[in-house]
Amino acid sequence: MRAVVTRVSSASVSIGGTVRGEIGRGFLVLLGVGPEDTQEQARRLAEKICRCRVFEDEGGKMNLDLAAVGGAVLVVSQFTLYADVKSRRPGFSHAAPPQVAEPLYKYFLDCCRALGFPPAHGEFGAEMAVASVNDGPVTLLFDTDHR
């Protein structure tokens, strides 16, 4: 699984002009699923992201996690994180097919919920408009294939 996580002061996802999910301070998570990914990887990734300490403490150091700052999570499915960009026209054959990716995406949402962060989210496979106000900016790349 791959996730691009941006620390935001606000973020939202809209489908057809209607806001489907929105958060204030927290993480915007763009989540891609690979064909060999597992529920165990999804669970570990959710834990790692939700416990990531990148919010500033009173001393200005990145030392606080989502819970410490009352943050939230917005998760958007993003198969393009598995793009093959060797040519000018990206290929997407390295992404998991929808019948594999969607259940793992939903499981990732469940894992965030179980960790105490009920996620706002888009709709798997939908055309979505994502808006965010980056905080920092702080953007991190998580990849379960590279530990």
Side-chain angles (χ1 to χ4, degrees), residues 5-13 23-28 55 74 130-139:
V5 178
T6 303
R7 187 178 76 182
V8 297
S9 52
S10 65
S12 65
V13 60
I23 62 168
R25 187 178 196 191
F27 290 145
L28 168 59
F55 295 93
L74 172 62
V130 180
S132 68
V133 178
N134 296 353
D135 178 16
V138 174
T139 301

Side-chain angles (χ1 to χ4, degrees), residues 21-143:
E22 64 184 325
I23 62 168
R25 187 178 196 191
F27 290 145
L28 168 59
V29 180
L30 304 179
L31 183 70
V33 179
E36 305 298 320
D37 290 338
T38 66
Q39 284 190 343
E40 178 60 20
Q41 287 173 312
R43 184 190 61 75
R44 283 197 323 262
L45 183 60
E47 287 176 356
K48 194 166 193 172
I49 291 169
C50 289
R51 293 183 177 147
C52 188
R53 296 173 10 183
V54 295
F55 295 93
E56 294 178 357
D57 64 16
E58 62 281 345
K61 295 198 183 282
M62 285 192 209
N63 199 30
L64 302 177
D65 64 10
L66 279 173
V69 300
V73 177
L74 172 62
V75 182
V76 177
S77 61
Q78 190 78 37
F79 74 94
T80 60
L81 291 178
Y82 277 90
D84 175 353
V85 292
K86 291 178 185 166
S87 68
R88 291 181 293 155
R89 183 170 183 258
F92 301 106
S93 62
H94 298 295
Q99 63 270 24
V100 172
E102 186 173 12
L104 281 173
Y105 165 77
K106 289 179 177 178
Y107 185 73
F108 180 86
L109 297 177
D110 290 342
C111 291
C112 290
R113 194 172 294 108
L115 290 164
F117 302 98
H121 56 86
E123 179 182 322
F124 185 89
E127 248 335 281
M128 296 175 275
V130 180
S132 68
V133 178
N134 296 353
D135 178 16
V138 174
T139 301
L140 305 168
L141 175 63
F142 293 82
D143 190 334

